[in-house]
Amino acid sequence: MDTVVHFEKLEADKRIVKHIKRFKKLLGKHKKVGLISKDAYNTLKTCTDPLIKKWQKDCKKDLGYQVDVE
């Protein structure tokens, strides 16, 4: 049963990292077409980078390896 919980956490962590990276791409697209200001983009991007690192670090700590999702 511990193995199942282990893989459930892995999949959740992968999904979190994947969604944050997609959000970051969406921010870039919105900035490019003028849907958000440069200041808003910079603020949100500054917040997303530490989140990605945190979840990748937490996963590495829990699982013993880095989760990097494209």
Side-chain angles (χ1 to χ4, degrees):
M1 195 52 128
D2 289 338
T3 303
V4 172
V5 172
H6 169 83
F7 282 107
E8 284 177 346
K9 178 164 179 41
L10 170 65
E11 289 303 314
D13 290 350
K14 281 183 178 179
R15 284 192 297 260
I16 290 166
V17 171
K18 186 176 180 179
H19 286 295
I20 296 171
K21 285 185 174 185
R22 284 183 180 166
F23 176 72
K24 195 171 156 183
K25 282 184 179 181
L26 183 63
L27 286 176
K29 289 178 182 178
H30 282 348
K31 180 182 154 232
K32 187 175 182 176
V33 298
L35 292 174
I36 61 173
S37 70
K38 184 177 180 179
D39 288 338
Y41 169 81
N42 289 334
T43 300
L44 291 168
K45 185 180 178 301
T46 300
C47 293
T48 59
D49 290 336
L51 283 174
I52 291 169
K53 288 178 185 170
K54 178 206 179 313
W55 281 101
Q56 287 176 331
K57 181 181 174 186
D58 286 353
C59 192
K60 184 175 183 180
K61 179 180 71 174
D62 293 344
L63 303 173
Y65 56 88
Q66 182 86 14
V67 171
D68 192 22
V69 179
E70 293 299 320

